Amino acid sequence: MEITFAVLLWAVRISFLVILYLFLIRAFGALQGSLAVESATAARPTGIAHLVVQRSVRGAPRVGERLPLRAVNAIGRDAGNDVVVNDEAASAKHALLEFADGEWWIEDTGSTNGTMVNGEIVRSRERVQYGDEVAIGRVALRLEQ
Amino acid sequence: MVRTQALQLRRGRFTELSLLFWVAALAITGFLAVVAAETSAFGVSAIVVPVVFLALMASLHLFLVARRFRGDQILMPMAAGLTAIGLVLVQRLASDLLVQQLSWTVIAAGAFAATILIPRDLTALARFKWTWALLGLLLLIAPLLPVIGREINGARIWVKVGPGSIEPWEAVKLLLVVFFAAYLEEYREVLAQTQRRIGPFAVPPVPYLIPIVAMWLIAMLVMVFEKDLGATLLFFGIFLAMLYLATGELFYVLIGMVLLFAGGLLAYSVFPHVQTRVDIWLRPFADDLRFGTSYQLVQGLYALGNGGLFGAGLGNGMPERIPVVWSDFVFDAFAEETGLAGAIALLATYLLFVYRGMLIAVRAPTPFLQLLAGGLSFIVALQTLVIVGGNARLIPLTGITLPFVAYGGSSLVTNWMLVALLMRVSEVSSRMRGSP
């Protein structure tokens, strides 16, 4: 009886180590897996269109980066926006870019410094065409397909 | 097909769930081994604590699922695994503290959930950076105040709260990283802007060196008045690392190292407690130290040696020979009972944690979030390095906790908040990328 207890105890001790290693391997596998998924979604054009960064301050977003767009996109400084523009000249909730009736529309959502399309300030809701440049603060973004 | 499956898996947080099953297996076998070795029977009590712990982790998982949280799924199970090892070791080394540690774990889980919820917008943290700096400084000097301050084991880093005491330094770590991230996001261009060069090093204009010198002065003051070498090292290390992350200038690291080294030499020549630490490190087996000040380290080294390749078996070693083993020397105790194999697995877990954290930093959309994630990951890396290095006599021993594993409430709570912050940074980037 004593011997079986000792054997069991050693079995538990060894399985602790084995489980620790299996856990590590699983965690590493999960990390690799999530990396693969992240790069797959990054490589695949996820959005229905893109904003390509033309001009930026402080490297966020980076110049040349393609930001995928959905049907409705909030643009602004808060991290909660779909397109985060990291510039003090941008407001927390700066503008709204949406796809409706087969066209892209931009609307300023009460920003302090205004939103520009091709250098002209957006008064109400205005149409944006592919190739147009949208300026939010000191960051310029071009709408592309 | 494979891709959509993978995407669905991400949506349901199944990766997290499956990893938590491994954590459950780990906690239960660990407790069984430790309790059975103590009582020579597989008792029911061996199941109660891990079940409470696992219920807690399961509820955190359900909380994240219910919130439709889209961030990282690996960090939480890894923190849970490390916390489970910590609880097993508390049961093994200081079972009378187990209930206390378990209740701290409950508080830590609460702090984790709260950090996931508040603040609603992570970048809002950056706007109050001077508040964090001020709060951090206040907490840093709080232990020095006469009524609430407390000195335990020679270090004056504790504040009395109700019946127990907390280490405000632990919270200062997080506040500092948030402050540095916000400060460096704003000033990194001027800091990186260089007019002159000396050899390969770019020398910044003199006024921009002021913050470095100020931080160094504060770190030195902490060392002098609170007698806490570990906190000094960590404080200054975080600052230098984040400065380097933000500017990419090696000059800052170099000048910081020189300052730290000079400060260390000065402290060594002036303060006896620093001399003792270095003395213990250099010649622990000397006749006048072996049974005196270096007794703890010597016993720790024997434990490491006793562990061998696969260890004495969990619950089968002699870690109780090391004084205060549950807080300062958990690594040595774990290495004795699980051997080199266990020690490597433990260190690999930290490595994986830091690797994940740094990946989150690289993918973060704004410099503030990048620096935040980078700094937070660096805390875990540096803390592990300093305490494990101290336990293995690679560097002088300092009283820093092994993240998640060592006994200690303040440390556990802040480390879980750290995990929550990292996960939130990863959520912002995954939402911006438009991935599910």
Side-chain angles (χ1 to χ4, degrees):
Chain A
M1 191 61 208
E2 268 311 295
I3 297 164
T4 40
F5 176 73
V7 169
L8 269 178
L9 191 54
W10 272 105
V12 172
R13 284 171 182 160
I14 292 165
S15 52
F16 175 79
L17 255 184
V18 172
I19 289 168
L20 184 54
Y21 270 91
L22 288 175
F23 168 64
L24 252 180
I25 292 166
R26 282 284 314 174
F28 188 71
L31 207 164
Q32 296 295 89
S34 79
L35 280 185
V37 171
E38 273 168 39
S39 48
T41 47
R44 199 165 44 119
T46 45
I48 45 181
H50 292 86
L51 281 177
V52 182
V53 183
Q54 304 294 304
R55 188 152 37 84
S56 181
V57 281
R58 305 201 298 192
R62 284 178 281 276
V63 174
E65 201 173 341
R66 288 174 71 85
L67 309 167
L69 292 177
R70 288 176 246 212
V72 183
N73 306 274
I75 309 177
R77 207 184 50 219
D78 273 353
N81 286 293
D82 302 293
V83 175
V84 178
V85 173
N86 186 45
D87 179 11
E88 299 96 15
S91 296
K93 291 179 175 52
H94 198 109
L96 207 62
L97 181 64
E98 60 180 321
F99 191 71
D101 309 326
E103 308 245 32
W104 284 97
W105 300 85
I106 194 155
E107 192 179 341
D108 192 279
T109 45
S111 71
T112 313
N113 295 322
T115 304
M116 315 261 258
V117 174
N118 293 335
E120 282 182 39
I121 197 137
V122 175
R123 299 267 170 232
S124 57
R125 201 168 127 97
E126 280 179 33
R127 188 178 301 165
V128 190
Q129 281 168 351
Y130 291 113
D132 283 356
E133 195 177 84
V134 178
I136 307 280
R138 288 169 288 176
V139 175
L141 309 152
R142 192 171 64 213
L143 184 67
E144 282 185 9
Q145 222 149 2
Chain B
M1 180 60 198
V2 175
R3 184 174 291 156
T4 47
Q5 258 178 354
L7 292 181
Q8 268 166 356
L9 281 181
R10 274 169 64 83
R11 195 168 288 140
R13 299 190 78 77
F14 287 113
T15 312
E16 190 173 80
L17 188 64
S18 75
L19 284 175
L20 279 176
F21 276 113
W22 286 102
V23 173
L26 193 69
I28 288 169
T29 45
F31 264 89
L32 269 182
V34 164
V35 173
E38 261 169 34
T39 57
S40 306
F42 294 107
V44 188
S45 61
I47 300 296
V48 176
V49 174
V51 162
V52 171
F53 168 74
L54 292 169
L56 198 62
M57 292 302 123
S59 56
L60 280 187
H61 170 74
L62 289 177
F63 165 75
L64 291 173
V65 172
R67 291 275 310 161
R68 297 178 192 281
F69 188 80
R70 281 170 17 192
D72 175 88
Q73 301 191 33
I74 300 158
L75 286 174
M76 202 280 261
M78 280 208 287
L82 289 170
T83 310
I85 292 176
L87 284 170
V88 168
L89 287 175
V90 169
Q91 164 71 39
R92 169 75 184 97
L93 305 168
S95 48
D96 47 329
L97 296 174
L98 186 65
V99 176
Q100 211 175 334
Q101 186 71 353
L102 194 64
S103 35
W104 275 115
T105 312
V106 176
I107 297 173
F112 172 87
T115 316
I116 291 287
L117 293 177
I118 326 165
R120 190 164 290 169
D121 178 23
L122 207 52
T123 46
L125 281 176
R127 267 169 248 155
F128 302 104
K129 57 176 174 291
W130 294 107
T131 315
W132 308 134
L134 196 68
L135 197 62
L137 270 181
L138 280 178
L139 283 174
L140 205 57
I141 57 170
L144 297 175
L145 301 177
V147 184
I148 53 170
R150 257 195 194 180
E151 188 166 322
I152 298 177
N153 298 332
R156 200 175 168 90
I157 50 168
W158 301 82
V159 168
K160 216 165 98 179
V161 176
S165 44
I166 58 163
E167 243 178 308
W169 156 249
E170 293 288 343
V172 175
K173 279 188 319 202
L174 294 188
L175 289 172
L176 278 182
V177 169
V178 175
F179 167 68
F180 286 155
Y183 175 84
L184 290 169
E185 180 189 46
E186 198 171 336
Y187 292 104
R188 70 172 182 166
E189 270 162 25
V190 271
L191 284 168
Q193 206 174 56
T194 51
Q195 278 91 351
R196 289 159 292 160
R197 292 194 159 263
I198 300 177
F201 302 111
V203 183
V206 176
Y208 300 130
L209 290 176
I210 291 171
I212 299 195
V213 178
M215 283 300 156
W216 174 76
L217 271 178
I218 295 169
M220 289 302 133
L221 287 179
V222 172
M223 180 158 74
V224 172
F225 292 109
E226 307 194 354
K227 300 177 191 166
D228 188 0
L229 294 176
T232 311
L233 202 61
L234 206 58
F235 180 97
F236 205 59
I238 293 168
F239 175 65
L240 281 186
M242 292 189 67
L243 199 58
Y244 181 64
L245 283 179
T247 62
E249 294 289 358
L250 214 54
F251 176 77
Y252 287 118
V253 180
L254 200 77
I255 198 171
M257 292 291 197
V258 169
L259 279 173
L260 192 65
F261 192 69
L265 275 183
L266 190 73
Y268 177 74
S269 57
V270 176
F271 301 109
H273 71 271
V274 181
Q275 283 168 11
T276 320
R277 285 291 169 94
V278 175
D279 224 24
I280 290 171
W281 172 52
L282 288 178
R283 43 187 201 98
F285 293 100
D287 283 331
D288 54 330
L289 298 177
R290 198 164 40 172
F291 297 107
T293 44
S294 78
Y295 182 76
Q296 194 187 25
L297 181 63
V298 166
Q299 293 303 320
L301 290 174
Y302 282 145
L304 275 183
N306 190 27
L309 256 190
F310 295 103
L314 206 57
N316 200 26
M318 295 183 288
E320 56 280 349
R321 289 191 168 224
I322 313 171
V324 220
V325 58
W326 56 88
S327 81
D328 292 348
F329 276 78
V330 272
F331 177 74
D332 284 2
F334 189 72
E336 182 186 4
E337 304 214 315
T338 59
L340 183 67
I344 286 178
L346 187 65
L347 292 180
T349 312
Y350 285 113
L351 186 66
L352 208 59
F353 186 96
V354 173
Y355 178 50
R356 183 62 195 161
M358 286 297 178
L359 278 177
I360 289 173
V362 168
R363 279 152 197 273
T366 75
F368 170 69
L369 295 178
Q370 284 178 339
L371 287 168
L372 184 67
L376 292 174
S377 319
F378 189 75
I379 290 182
V380 176
L382 189 63
Q383 248 183 269
T384 312
L385 182 78
V386 167
I387 186 61
V388 172
N391 284 353
R393 203 172 77 87
L394 287 169
I395 53 173
L397 182 68
T398 52
I400 279 186
T401 52
L402 189 61
F404 303 104
V405 175
Y407 168 77
S410 330
S411 163
L412 198 63
V413 172
T414 43
N415 283 327
W416 272 95
M417 288 171 75
L418 187 155
V419 175
L421 282 175
L422 277 177
M423 287 170 69
R424 291 203 51 182
V425 174
S426 82
E427 194 205 13
V428 173
S429 22
S430 77
R431 202 173 44 208
M432 254 198 87
R433 267 161 214 285
S435 59

